[in-house]
Amino acid sequence: MITARGARTHVVTAGTGERTVVVVPGTNFCAASCLPLLSVLAARCRVVAVDLPGQPGLSAADRVPTKGRLAWYGRWLEDAVGQITTAPVTVLGHSLGAAITLACASPLVSEQVLVSPGGLMRLHITPRVALASVSWLLARSPAASALLLRAMHGRARRPRPELVEWMTLVARHVRTSTDPGAAVIARHDVRRTVVVGDEDAFLPVRTLAPVVLRSFGVELGVIAAAGHLITDEVPEALADAVL
């Protein structure tokens, strides 16, 4: 446990190696809910996962104010990275975590891996996703959680039981947050890799690809047979993209 920007911050460290990857989860997720990805990365490098203050997990529970939220999170991540390491690191941010990664100005971050990145474009909400989201918020049941997770997964994927249980706990005990808002890009001198699933319901490839090219001058990496939760669906493919 560390304190970053005055907020209690839970940190999980695993694996060894010269390279360190800092993982920043997305909305409603934390280190405990990202074990498939953390396990794969830990077999190949040192990995450090940080729970977001104001999101479900073991960090501070107080909600970060909406105004200036990404800028605050960027400063929080800069502080956290400075306490985690004194050597250059790769930061992998998923969804909201990607938007926070972009807002981080730490000179210790040598590379950013933006996965299903929030903040670059308005999320595409299909009727299926809208219905699943409303059902999850109202029913607060395992069935509703599974329905939402299936909408966030690729068509051939099924959510693992532990994730269904986690999302049910979140629905019952947490007031979920909203879209992160427009990204704040703190640095333009860092290497970036941007990846998305080819079946991401929120960030269609055809829409996101030109935004990524225009914003960063890099091609969007597309991972086959994956939806928005690449971190859970295909952790091995994501680790390959990172390492």
Side-chain angles (χ1 to χ4, degrees):
M1 191 74 72
I2 63 174
T3 298
R5 293 295 296 180
R8 187 180 72 253
T9 300
H10 180 248
V11 177
V12 173
T13 303
T16 59
E18 295 183 1
R19 186 168 184 178
T20 296
V21 176
V22 178
V23 176
V24 186
T27 302
N28 294 329
F29 282 72
C30 65
S33 59
C34 296
L35 289 182
L37 174 62
L38 300 183
S39 298
V40 170
L41 288 173
R44 301 169 64 175
C45 67
R46 177 176 180 251
V47 59
V48 182
V50 288
D51 287 2
L52 298 179
Q55 289 290 331
L58 296 178
S59 289
D62 296 338
R63 183 77 74 190
V64 178
T66 301
K67 184 177 181 180
R69 179 168 63 151
L70 286 179
W72 185 92
Y73 270 127
R75 293 189 294 271
W76 162 81
L77 182 57
E78 181 176 0
D79 190 356
V81 167
Q83 297 186 56
I84 290 167
T85 183
T86 58
V89 298
T90 296
V91 176
L92 184 157
H94 175 244
S95 195
L96 169 61
I100 292 171
T101 300
L102 282 171
C104 177
S106 172
L108 290 172
V109 178
S110 62
E111 182 177 11
Q112 297 176 348
V113 180
L114 310 176
V115 183
S116 310
L120 295 182
M121 56 173 275
R122 185 182 295 275
L123 297 180
H124 179 64
I125 305 298
T126 64
R128 179 191 180 204
V129 169
L131 177 61
S133 298
V134 171
S135 297
W136 176 69
L137 289 169
L138 296 179
R140 304 180 184 183
S141 67
S145 296
L147 181 68
L148 177 60
L149 287 168
R150 284 197 296 271
M152 297 173 72
H153 277 46
R155 289 187 294 271
R157 305 284 176 179
R158 292 292 179 269
R160 55 190 172 92
E162 297 87 351
L163 201 56
V164 173
E165 181 179 6
W166 170 258
M167 290 299 287
T168 303
L169 289 171
V170 171
R172 290 174 177 173
H173 300 289
V174 177
R175 180 172 58 84
T176 189
S177 57
T178 57
D179 185 286
V184 177
I185 303 175
R187 289 181 57 189
H188 296 276
D189 60 341
V190 62
R191 295 195 308 275
R192 289 192 176 96
T193 300
V194 188
V195 296
V196 70
D198 65 344
E199 298 177 11
D200 192 316
F202 298 107
L203 302 167
V205 172
R206 66 182 182 279
T207 307
L208 181 61
V211 174
V212 169
L213 184 60
R214 183 170 62 250
S215 300
F216 308 124
V218 300
E219 298 288 340
L220 175 65
V222 180
I223 296 182
H228 191 67
L229 294 181
I230 302 176
T231 49
D232 215 76
E233 297 172 273
V234 285
E236 293 86 359
L238 185 53
D240 288 341
V242 174
L243 301 175

